[in-house]
Amino acid sequence: MNDFTIEVDTALVDDALRRLVARSNNLRPVLLAIGEDLTESTKQRFSSLQDPDGTPWKPNSAITVAWKGHDIQLTGKTHQLRDSINYRIGETGVEIGSPMKYAATQQFGERGHLWHELMVKIDIPARAFLGLSFEDETRVLADIRDYLDIV
């Protein structure tokens, strides 16, 4: 029987694993990058007038156009909703949203909404601006890969 020894140098792998553990203890940098990216892509939906899946937002009704004097969907002339989009990071995640009271109505829609100025009930269609598009998912994965680039 022949005796032999196999030696494997695992220094690179060991070092990479040590750096991975160190990075996983502080996710703040990658969460900040994800928050910035998703906030910008969410704001871009107000220009493309599409939900995260690429479905065009429904146009404003004739009543809305008459009341507002324009047909600018969701943004209006002041862009308050778009400009209010922000993010908040936690220990292990990122939340994207808006503090505006009507943000949920725009995201999910509302049936039988009463406009006091016109005294009519209308249905507000959902115009989703929050969510992850395929491009967003790709960008988030790239942020994570960049952050974990330890080799």
Side-chain angles (χ1 to χ4, degrees):
M1 177 178 213
N2 294 338
D3 287 343
F4 60 90
T5 302
I6 298 176
E7 290 186 31
V8 178
D9 183 1
T10 62
L12 288 175
V13 172
D14 292 343
D15 183 54
L17 287 173
R18 274 192 294 280
R19 290 187 301 176
L20 176 62
V21 169
R23 285 191 183 247
S24 68
N25 288 327
N26 179 17
L27 297 178
R28 186 173 176 79
V30 71
L31 296 177
L32 287 169
I34 292 168
E36 290 292 328
D37 286 344
L38 293 181
T39 297
E40 282 309 307
S41 70
T42 300
K43 288 180 177 182
Q44 287 300 314
R45 293 193 185 106
F46 290 84
S47 297
S48 67
L49 305 177
Q50 295 178 349
D51 71 15
D53 293 330
T55 303
W57 291 341
K58 292 185 179 177
N60 288 333
S61 69
I63 292 173
T64 300
V65 172
W67 177 67
K68 289 185 172 186
H70 61 77
D71 190 27
I72 304 171
Q73 298 171 5
L74 281 187
T75 60
K77 293 179 180 179
T78 63
H79 304 285
Q80 285 180 316
L81 182 56
R82 181 201 65 199
D83 293 346
S84 74
I85 302 298
N86 61 64
Y87 67 94
R88 178 174 53 199
I89 63 170
E91 287 185 35
T92 59
V94 180
E95 295 176 351
I96 310 294
S98 167
M100 303 302 284
K101 287 183 179 180
Y102 58 89
T105 299
Q106 299 300 333
Q107 176 76 18
F108 301 109
E110 187 174 325
R111 296 188 55 87
H113 185 77
L114 178 64
W115 281 21
H116 299 285
E117 297 84 356
L118 297 176
M119 296 307 291
V120 296
K121 286 191 174 187
I122 62 167
D123 291 340
I124 298 175
R127 294 183 180 102
F129 54 94
L130 297 170
L132 288 178
S133 67
F134 176 77
E135 291 80 14
D136 291 335
E137 289 178 13
T138 301
R139 193 172 300 117
V140 167
L141 289 172
D143 286 339
I144 293 169
R145 271 193 301 277
D146 290 347
Y147 182 69
L148 294 178
D149 185 22
I150 54 173
V151 181

